[in-house]
Amino acid sequence: MLVKAEQSGVVRGARFPGRYIQGVGTIARLGEEAGGFGEKAIVLLDNGVFDLLKADVEASFATALQVEIFRHGGECSERAIAALAAAAKSAGASVIVGAGGGKALDTAKAAGRDAGLPVIVFPTIAASDAPCSALAVVYNEDGTVAYDTFLPSNPDLVLVDTALIARAPARFLAAGIGDALATWYEAESCRRSGALNCMKMPGVPLAYEVARFCRDTIFEFGPAALDECDAKTAGPALERVVEANILLSGIGFESGGVAAAHAIHHGLCELADVHHHLHGEKVAIGVLAGLKLNGMDDEYERVRQFCLAVRLPTTLADIGIDEATPEKLAVVAKRACRAGEIIHNEPITVTEEMVVRALEALV
Ligand SMILES: [Zn+2]
């Protein structure tokens, strides 16, 4: 039987980054690729990798292109976005490059919109599926989340240097696997319920197939990719998992849709206990709770074993919630189940009590 999203007479869609390039040593191509957009580039380089990568970035631009490199202060705030857009305009830049972790990339993406310029995203870790998306998370100056901003288009180019990703701590790659783990379960929930994707329409069939491919890839190559990362080697498994974490998960979540795992993640973030844990680590807990929520106990056990194999948390204590009091679980459930929240994209009716019971299974 066709599920709702497969029925005829439905307008569907998917969205993608303009181009995606991945491989060892691609940092050397950054200048050449930026040159495809014009004569002058502004690079926002993450504070965490600034000293490590500045010389390589400059070297890649050595040929003809003019470049100005700015150090990213660490926050994707309205002030940081406005400052970068203003710098790009006053420099007469033809392209903005964001290089580093999620906040530097999001700042560049939002500044590109405000300055009316194309954007190149150069992630140096594969800890989430944010790089390919048309979404930026804006923070207040005190570090709390202000709001999500939806951009009119995805980045023009996502350039990934797997040699750099392999040099970063394996914990980041594992977190990216956690974010990628949610993609198929959430897309499948949306496919079955007919819920809408980030374009406010059901995905085209390709969107759900990309999500499935994402799941299959991390299940097959996840543990070996982490071993390669431990050895600082961009081997064949790491290449596959980086593609899954960044490209497949990015397309899969935007075009397939999101549901319980990320809603429960948002709920968990209400607790100060979890603040030292990465997005993908909390999302993995959201996936496990989402499977319990749907009564999928066999799949829960399969995914739990996978999480153990790829160094992801499987209990609330693993993400800092040592005392899972009824009060704390109620706070998580309330936030996860608020009106209009993505948890209601699940094919079942979800209540706060159900979320509390699902979380209790993870104590
Ligand atoms: Zn995510």
Side-chain angles (χ1 to χ4, degrees):
M1 196 183 81
L2 288 174
V3 298
K4 196 171 169 190
E6 291 169 334
Q7 290 166 358
S8 60
V10 176
V11 176
R12 305 179 178 84
R15 61 189 309 163
F16 310 89
R19 282 184 297 143
Y20 180 85
I21 298 173
Q22 174 186 314
V24 168
T26 60
I27 194 168
R29 299 173 64 119
L30 197 50
E32 181 189 337
E33 294 294 342
F37 295 98
E39 313 236 300
K40 180 152 191 184
I42 291 270
V43 178
L44 184 69
L45 186 53
D46 198 321
N47 198 27
V49 290
F50 191 89
D51 297 329
L52 185 71
L53 299 184
K54 182 166 181 274
D56 287 342
V57 171
E58 280 173 338
S60 85
F61 282 89
T63 41
L65 203 67
Q66 299 174 61
V67 61
E68 280 185 39
I69 302 178
F70 292 87
R71 184 190 288 265
H72 184 244
E75 215 51 271
C76 177
S77 61
E78 286 183 347
R79 193 167 65 180
I81 294 164
L84 183 61
K89 276 188 191 158
S90 69
S94 40
V95 60
I96 294 178
V97 180
K103 290 180 179 181
L105 306 185
D106 279 6
T107 304
K109 287 195 285 186
R113 172 200 57 194
D114 294 349
L117 291 172
V119 173
I120 297 176
V121 162
F122 184 76
T124 54
I125 53 175
S128 81
D129 56 20
C132 290
S133 75
L135 175 71
V137 183
V138 180
Y139 289 78
N140 297 309
E141 294 296 336
D142 67 2
T144 57
V145 173
Y147 54 88
D148 290 346
T149 184
F150 293 90
L151 308 171
S153 57
N154 299 64
D156 297 84
L157 169 64
V158 177
L159 182 66
V160 182
D161 188 334
T162 41
L164 293 180
I165 307 249
R167 280 164 64 185
R171 183 182 172 188
F172 289 127
L173 190 67
I177 294 172
D179 207 21
L181 178 63
T183 301
W184 183 75
Y185 293 102
E186 295 188 296
E188 177 65 6
S189 288
C190 292
R191 189 185 71 85
R192 288 173 55 207
S193 69
L196 311 182
N197 64 15
C198 296
M199 298 166 70
K200 300 195 177 352
M201 55 182 71
V204 292
L206 175 69
Y208 309 112
E209 288 305 313
V210 169
R212 182 195 307 277
F213 185 43
C214 178
R215 176 199 66 178
D216 293 348
T217 301
I218 58 171
F219 278 175
E220 184 171 357
F221 298 103
L226 290 170
D227 291 344
E228 291 176 6
C229 198
D230 288 341
K232 308 288 176 212
T233 307
L238 184 132
E239 292 281 358
R240 293 295 302 269
V241 167
V242 169
E243 183 196 359
N245 286 11
I246 296 178
L247 180 64
L248 306 178
S249 185
I251 294 169
F253 100 79
E254 273 198 306
S255 298
V258 287
H262 274 81
I264 292 168
H265 160 272
H266 299 341
L268 291 167
C269 288
E270 295 283 301
L271 305 179
D273 308 23
V274 305
H275 285 180
H276 294 296
H277 290 269
L278 300 169
H279 172 81
E281 294 169 343
K282 291 172 270 193
V283 169
I285 291 294
V287 173
L288 289 168
L291 292 170
K292 277 283 172 195
L293 197 65
N294 279 284
M296 297 165 68
D297 287 349
D298 291 348
E299 191 67 9
Y300 167 85
E301 189 50 33
R302 178 185 180 217
V303 171
R304 197 179 73 83
Q305 293 298 334
F306 173 72
C307 286
L308 292 171
V310 293
R311 310 170 196 176
L312 283 169
T314 58
T315 68
L316 298 182
D318 290 343
I319 55 166
I321 307 171
D322 293 319
E323 286 183 62
T325 61
E327 292 75 22
K328 285 184 186 177
L329 299 188
V331 166
V332 176
K334 188 161 194 271
R335 172 67 175 83
C337 295
R338 67 184 188 181
E341 190 49 78
I342 50 181
I343 205 162
H344 304 299
N345 289 345
E346 291 293 329
I348 55 170
T349 301
V350 179
T351 65
E352 291 178 25
E353 293 70 36
M354 289 164 68
V355 172
V356 168
R357 277 203 300 278
L359 291 168
E360 281 171 350
L362 275 63
V363 170

